[in-house]
Amino acid sequence: QEKKIFMVQGPYPIIRRLLRARGWVERKAPSTGRHLEQHCSDQSRQRLQTAPGSGGARQREEEEQCDEDPHGIHDLMSYLARDQLPNFIWTNFLETIDRQLLRDDSVLNHYARVDAFTTKEGLCLSLQNLPWIEQADPNAFFPRCYRLGTRDDREAFIEDFRLTAARSLLKLALEEAGDRPVRTEQVPNSDNGEGRLCPQSWHRSHISHPKHSTAQPGSPLYPELVEEALEVCKQHLGVLQHEDIDRNTPSPCRTCIDWDNFLQQYYRVAHEGAGLVLTRQQRKQCQNLLQILAEKLPQLDMEGKLNVWILKPGAESQGRGIICMTRLEEMLQLAWSCTAPSVQVGRWVVQKYVERLLTIFGTKFDIRQWFVVTDWKPLTVWFYQDCYLRFCSRPFSLHHLERARHLCNVSVQKWYKTSPDQDPRVPPDKIWSNKQFQEYLAQVGQGDAWHKVLVPGMKAAILNALRSARDRVRFRKGNFELYGADFVVGENLQPWLLEINSCPTMSPSSAVTRQLCANVQRDTLCLVLDRKDNPTCPIGAFELIYKE
């Protein structure tokens, strides 16, 4: 009568505990329900430990239930409610829900067809269409991304890779000539034990550089190389200055030079240490051209000069199958040769790697940021004001592209031990709270960056991603969904959106996430249950950032 029957599917003991504390009764899901007589005694706990095929997470979840229900009262109530339809359902996968269990007024923690922004391929496609929907440029917050399974995208990626190589060559040539712009960034090792800001020269001394192999620094490169790069960039600038939204302007860059030869020479400079010599006139041309291109290309600075891209299976999660690469032909070959069923279904996406990113103590990190959508018509979005950082287990280097240095996912990093050359100030569990990050930013003289740059940038990126995909989402009134967005931070403290997860993990991997994951689940229940009867009730760390 009070509509307080719930169902939980998946590893969510916090949700179960919180709802029981509110006086709700659980209707056990068919696959996980237990008979009334299975009380949690020492004998039943022994059965749980020895049951064939029972995973560790499932065992821990069952044992927690035993500890919280020593007399079987909750089991008894669940038995009495076994034929009732649940009023509230929290599950890890929408597809596991039996539609016959849904009432007209049931509250469910998922929407249908959110793959339009929660898969890598879906987000890539949706944000490509953003300029048609909103007055927003995805290149301002989302690294360039292409679906290799479609011909148009594949050709666009090949052209982008070539153009990026040409721009990168100009940057390398200027660097070789000693023209290094002074930029500020953090210092992982300073005398006083705290980070501080210093010129770009520090960055060059703390990142490993390419090893000389077949080419020596003074080995001759064909003299037209810099001229060809200048010509390509000039022609590209001409296209950008006349480009309209439909991007149908044909590019003159496809046939203006011998690209195979150019790329092989570029690889020698970028990855094998071959040298370049600039004339005074060429140096001035490079400087002027890059300065003008920076006004047209929002990602010119963050894209760096080594042309690193990251290849991802389009429908996978938790870092599966992701690899960083620098050579065009190798990326295309890998994408075409992979026979894994999940990759064939999801197809590959390739995305520009953020080369000029902020590191902490010389280590890459990313940010997991939660938000909740409680309605799609009108679109209603709530931003969680607490989040956490995930560190890699080895120092950052663009010349060592192994996963331990570049993929911050907990599911990836748990397989690696901390490197001996890792700065000892990197947390052992590789997790920081946003409050710890704010303290660090204050130490390095950027105390206002969190509230003035990072948070507004993350909010804008999330809203643009949702707007780009909303026409493809199938929504149901009364439902809601908690998402986890992943960001990296550029040297200039700008956040770059990488992906959005529809089922962010609530399994804690550290003391920080144990507290934060419990808090966000508690506050989500307040948001979606309590506000129905009391719109002014406390909702914890949630903040309404958008309602149409």
Side-chain angles (χ1 to χ4, degrees):
Q1 291 176 346
E2 294 184 15
K3 297 183 178 180
K4 288 187 174 182
I5 296 175
F6 75 93
M7 178 182 290
V8 171
Q9 289 184 330
Y12 300 106
I14 298 293
I15 294 295
R16 178 178 287 107
R17 186 181 308 135
L18 290 169
L19 288 172
R20 285 176 173 178
R22 290 165 168 260
W24 286 60
V25 173
E26 180 179 10
R27 178 204 161 134
K28 296 292 180 69
S31 59
T32 59
R34 289 179 294 174
H35 295 298
L36 173 63
E37 62 272 12
Q38 270 190 306
H39 295 299
C40 291
S41 61
D42 291 339
Q43 290 81 5
S44 63
R45 194 167 298 186
Q46 180 65 27
R47 286 198 299 272
L48 285 170
Q49 293 172 354
T50 59
S54 60
R58 167 78 179 277
Q59 178 179 323
R60 286 192 300 273
E61 181 184 352
E62 295 283 359
E63 289 181 353
E64 285 187 17
Q65 292 182 51
C66 296
D67 294 337
E68 294 170 7
D69 191 21
H71 304 295
I73 300 300
H74 290 299
D75 270 351
L76 172 60
M77 298 301 291
S78 293
Y79 179 76
L80 297 176
R82 67 192 182 280
D83 295 326
Q84 302 298 315
L85 294 178
N87 308 101
F88 181 90
I89 301 174
W90 187 295
T91 179
N92 45 0
F93 298 110
L94 178 64
E95 295 77 14
T96 63
I97 292 298
D98 183 350
R99 297 292 171 179
Q100 294 182 351
L101 295 175
L102 292 178
R103 306 161 51 108
D104 290 340
D105 59 351
S106 294
V107 177
L108 181 63
N109 73 319
H110 285 293
Y111 296 104
R113 298 182 64 178
V114 295
D115 58 320
F117 66 95
T118 61
T119 64
K120 298 171 181 65
E121 190 178 28
L123 183 62
C124 176
L125 176 60
S126 294
L127 287 177
Q128 285 177 0
N129 296 326
L130 179 65
W132 293 97
I133 302 169
E134 300 285 338
Q135 290 184 335
D137 182 4
N139 288 322
F141 62 88
F142 184 64
R144 307 189 299 276
C145 189
Y146 302 94
R147 298 167 297 146
L148 294 182
T150 64
R151 179 179 176 180
D152 289 347
D153 262 28
R154 187 167 59 253
E155 291 182 353
F157 162 62
I158 292 172
E159 182 167 313
D160 192 339
F161 185 93
R162 291 169 172 174
L163 292 171
T164 306
R167 294 192 296 269
S168 299
L169 188 82
L170 299 187
K171 296 176 185 177
L172 289 165
L174 286 175
E175 185 179 87
E176 189 78 16
D179 184 12
R180 303 185 184 99
V182 175
R183 294 189 172 274
T184 58
E185 73 176 82
Q186 73 293 350
V187 181
N189 297 297
S190 56
D191 295 336
N192 61 3
E194 296 181 353
R196 58 184 175 85
L197 296 178
C198 78
Q200 177 72 5
S201 57
W202 171 85
H203 183 69
R204 291 175 53 77
S205 66
H206 281 75
I207 288 185
S208 57
H209 286 74
K211 297 179 179 179
H212 294 43
S213 56
T214 57
Q216 297 301 318
S219 59
L221 295 172
Y222 70 115
E224 299 85 359
L225 187 62
V226 175
E227 284 299 323
E228 287 185 350
L230 282 167
E231 181 61 27
V232 167
C233 290
K234 288 176 185 175
Q235 292 193 32
H236 184 215
L237 179 61
V239 173
L240 292 173
Q241 289 173 335
H242 300 90
E243 187 176 40
D244 56 13
I245 191 173
D246 63 13
R247 290 177 167 81
N248 282 333
T249 309
S251 172
C253 307
R254 295 180 181 175
T255 59
C256 57
I257 63 172
D258 180 350
W259 276 111
D260 290 339
N261 189 38
F262 179 87
L263 289 179
Q264 292 307 314
Q265 298 296 331
Y266 164 73
Y267 297 151
R268 291 179 62 195
V269 175
H271 307 301
E272 299 176 6
L276 284 171
V277 177
L278 280 183
T279 66
R280 182 173 300 178
Q281 181 182 7
Q282 285 176 329
R283 179 174 177 175
K284 191 65 176 175
Q285 285 180 304
C286 290
Q287 291 170 334
N288 293 340
L289 196 50
L290 288 173
Q291 186 174 354
I292 298 172
L293 283 170
E295 299 172 2
K296 297 287 184 180
L297 301 173
Q299 299 184 18
L300 181 72
D301 188 53
M302 76 82 165
E303 71 185 18
K305 56 185 180 291
L306 298 184
N307 213 1
V308 181
W309 292 74
I310 187 163
L311 203 61
K312 311 175 182 180
E316 289 283 13
S317 61
Q318 298 183 331
R320 297 185 187 95
I322 295 178
I323 184 171
C324 297
M325 305 183 77
T326 59
R327 298 180 184 254
L328 175 63
E329 60 277 8
E330 293 178 1
M331 283 183 266
L332 296 176
Q333 181 180 3
L334 176 62
W336 281 108
S337 63
C338 188
T339 58
S342 58
V343 174
Q344 288 180 324
V345 173
R347 295 176 293 276
W348 289 92
V349 299
V350 62
Q351 187 168 37
K352 185 66 189 73
Y353 189 86
V354 181
E355 296 184 27
R356 299 179 66 90
L357 49 74
L358 186 74
T359 61
I360 297 178
F361 310 135
T363 304
K364 181 182 176 180
F365 68 93
D366 71 6
I367 299 174
R368 166 59 59 89
Q369 175 62 59
W370 292 302
F371 66 96
V372 166
V373 175
T374 52
D375 204 343
W376 285 92
K377 290 186 179 180
L379 180 60
T380 308
V381 187
W382 305 79
F383 185 88
Y384 203 66
Q385 297 175 74
D386 290 329
C387 59
Y388 62 94
L389 278 62
R390 307 178 297 187
F391 289 83
C392 287
S393 55
R394 295 179 186 172
F396 177 69
S397 169
L398 288 172
H399 300 285
H400 299 89
L401 298 181
E402 65 265 33
R403 293 157 60 88
R405 298 182 194 271
H406 297 279
L407 299 186
C408 302
N409 311 56
V410 173
S411 56
V412 171
Q413 293 299 326
K414 69 181 181 180
W415 300 105
Y416 298 99
K417 293 182 179 180
T418 300
S419 171
D421 58 345
Q422 183 80 285
D423 191 295
R425 289 170 293 171
V426 174
D429 56 14
K430 298 185 272 292
I431 299 290
W432 258 8
S433 68
N434 61 303
K435 292 181 173 57
Q436 290 172 293
F437 185 35
Q438 292 175 64
E439 292 171 1
Y440 171 81
L441 290 173
Q443 290 175 4
V444 298
Q446 296 286 353
D448 294 335
W450 179 256
H451 293 292
K452 291 186 176 180
V453 181
L454 283 156
V455 169
M458 291 192 291
K459 289 178 179 178
I462 288 169
L463 291 178
N464 279 321
L466 295 177
R467 292 187 189 113
S468 72
R470 63 181 163 186
D471 290 340
R472 296 168 62 193
V473 175
R474 185 180 301 162
F475 81 100
R476 178 178 177 271
K477 280 292 183 182
N479 286 12
F480 69 97
E481 190 153 10
L482 172 67
Y483 302 98
D486 293 339
F487 292 87
V488 292
V489 182
E491 282 182 359
N492 60 356
L493 298 174
Q494 177 188 341
W496 292 95
L497 175 65
L498 299 183
E499 63 183 23
I500 296 175
N501 300 275
S502 65
C503 191
T505 179
M506 290 292 132
S507 300
S509 60
S510 68
V512 169
T513 51
R514 184 172 295 109
Q515 185 64 54
L516 290 182
C517 289
N519 290 351
V520 74
Q521 291 174 88
R522 177 200 64 204
D523 295 347
T524 300
L525 291 181
C526 293
L527 179 66
V528 301
L529 295 179
D530 298 345
R531 284 191 76 260
K532 285 186 173 182
D533 301 321
N534 180 11
T536 62
C537 72
I539 52 175
F542 276 111
E543 170 195 6
L544 179 64
I545 60 168
Y546 188 76
K547 183 172 184 178
E548 283 177 313

